[in-house]
Amino acid sequence: MRYQWQFQPYRRRFKQALETSHGLWTLREGIILRLVNEAGNVGWGEIAPIPWFGSETLEQAWSFCHQLPSALSEELIFSIPNALPCCQFAFESAWERMKEQTLDNAAPQRRSGAEGEAAFVDEGLTLRPQNLNSQAQNSNIAVQNSNIAVQNSNIAVQNLTLRPQNLIIQAQTSIVAVPHSKTLAQNSKFLPQSSITPLQNSDIAVQNSELQPQNSKLRPPHAIVAVPSSIVTAQNSILQSQVSTINPRAVSPRPSLLSPLPPLPHSVLLPAGTAALHAWKPLWQKGFRTFKWKIGVQAIVTEVELLHELTQTLPPTAKLRLDANGGLSLNEAIQWLQVCDALIDNPNHSAAIEYIEQPLDTAQFQTMQDLSRRYQTPIALDESIATLQQLQTCYANGWRGIFVIKPAIVGSPKHLRQFCQEHLIDAVFSSAFETAIGRQAGLQLAEELGNLDRAMGYGTTHWLDDADIDDVEQLWQTL
């Protein structure tokens, strides 16, 4: 199938210049994509480069768009080179949104034709069950009287990763025997909400609630999961996670990608310097509880004094992230870590220091690795993992700290999902000051893949003039 598409540039001015260790940022520029299939279903994407962060330039993205034909194939969309990560994100996101709208528009017909049965639709990316009661073919799973019983005791799930909102299920070819309602396991990878389930050579977890398949993410795309039409319940299951203690949020119905997502806790960006001492109050009243503050902008002596004042001013339940954008020297980074460790050890200090983000330049990865082992204060990588290839390299080199991922510049959503489902990382998803189109696509990934015990870094809309425009058609008309 071929898809018609259009693109337009945008320019958005910051309400006040964003001050970082890289300098002042006054204008946000990017490109909006509109992808349409033969049925008229529309998908939106956004190219939002940050060249000094590690992405392609706006000029390179613009040139690439001009080189493309007026009708795009799926093969072309998923073969954009890694040197253009913002373009990868934009085109794949637009394709996903278009597919989602196609499914949403077809849902009423499926429901009228198959009342009470589940419809699994293979999008090439996601299997979306449409009803609470799941039924599929080619399965040997039987559930009776709320106890999970395997009649033939052979459940073959090959290379399949299930990542619902409330847990991560990774199952490799296995034989599962489930006696009664208790599931025993080893080598499982889950992110459960509050309880834990040990399972044997399989990653099938059922929490103390009805399985809600419409929230499940099933990978890889062409696998078939079969469950009888009865609602699967496991009473008093104990869910055991051997890899991670990350707790995702409770399961909620998966919304259309064109509708607002359920609220995620967001961290909000404060202005640099003394302005932060007053800027946090109205943001706190709006519900923000985690704040990010830029450091490495002024002299370290000045900023440390401001930090002490800020941590005493913020309410005790607040969390504070310090973002250096790679602008500190090694001596400054050590001083900051010592100051933050002292605050952690001081029971009288108010707000908690959550982590220091990218204290050193990307070339000093090993030094940051060493510092993360020497000090209590966690270190998060940001610029060092700007693209998926950089993220993979840092992980391969042993980084197991916090990963701050900017979806708009990291690259392919498809490949990012694959990586995050194979490796349980402590991921915080963060804004690149994109429009509602890029923000919505980024939050979708945050919802699926992020550590939901941490606030996501999307509290940035107050920095831009028209960031409150959430209607994509309206946004398109303003360009």
Side-chain angles (χ1 to χ4, degrees), residues 54 130 171 244 381 387 409 414 422:
Q130 300 296 327
S244 173
L381 295 186
T387 67
I409 65 175
K414 175 183 176 181
E422 292 171 3

Side-chain angles (χ1 to χ4, degrees), residues 196-216:
I196 301 189
T197 299
L199 274 142
Q200 205 159 22
N201 290 327
S202 172
D203 295 329
I204 302 174
V206 185
Q207 204 169 358
N208 297 330
S209 61
E210 294 182 345
L211 180 66
Q212 304 211 15
Q214 71 269 42
N215 289 323
S216 301

Side-chain angles (χ1 to χ4, degrees), residues 300-441:
I300 187 170
V301 174
T302 301
E303 289 184 335
V304 168
E305 291 177 356
L306 287 173
L307 174 66
H308 283 288
E309 189 172 353
L310 184 59
T311 55
Q312 290 297 326
T313 303
L314 287 169
T317 54
K319 293 181 180 180
L320 186 61
R321 299 169 177 177
L322 307 180
D323 186 6
N325 287 118
L328 302 179
S329 68
L330 177 57
N331 287 336
E332 289 171 337
I334 291 173
Q335 288 181 63
W336 275 111
L337 288 164
Q338 291 173 340
V339 167
C340 291
D341 277 8
L343 288 173
I344 292 173
D345 291 335
N346 180 2
N348 296 320
H349 88 280
S350 183
I353 305 297
E354 187 175 4
Y355 56 73
I356 294 181
E357 190 171 323
Q358 194 71 37
L360 301 176
D361 182 77
T362 58
Q364 301 186 65
F365 168 80
Q366 189 57 54
T367 303
M368 287 187 285
Q369 181 90 293
D370 295 340
L371 291 174
S372 71
R373 298 186 182 111
R374 288 171 52 190
Y375 295 95
Q376 297 181 63
T377 304
I379 292 176
L381 295 186
D382 190 3
E383 282 89 342
S384 290
I385 58 163
T387 67
L388 181 57
Q389 290 70 40
Q390 291 172 307
L391 191 158
Q392 291 169 329
T393 298
C394 288
Y395 184 88
N397 289 334
W399 185 261
R400 296 299 183 270
I402 302 163
F403 296 78
V404 178
I405 300 172
K406 288 181 168 54
I409 65 175
V410 77
S412 164
K414 175 183 176 181
H415 293 146
L416 178 63
R417 286 188 180 97
Q418 290 172 348
F419 178 84
C420 290
Q421 289 166 353
E422 292 171 3
H423 308 286
L424 297 183
I425 63 173
D426 189 351
V428 173
F429 283 73
S430 184
S431 168
F433 296 94
E434 58 279 276
T435 70
I437 292 170
R439 184 171 69 249
Q440 194 173 67

Side-chain angles (χ1 to χ4, degrees), residues 437-473:
I437 292 170
R439 184 171 69 249
Q440 194 173 67
L443 285 171
Q444 171 74 19
L445 290 168
E447 187 81 23
E448 296 174 31
L449 308 174
N451 176 359
L452 302 181
D453 274 348
R454 299 190 188 276
M456 297 296 129
Y458 279 85
T460 57
T461 56
H462 61 292
W463 281 87
L464 294 156
D465 285 330
D466 57 352
D468 57 345
I469 300 179
D470 290 326
D471 186 301
V472 291
E473 290 286 355

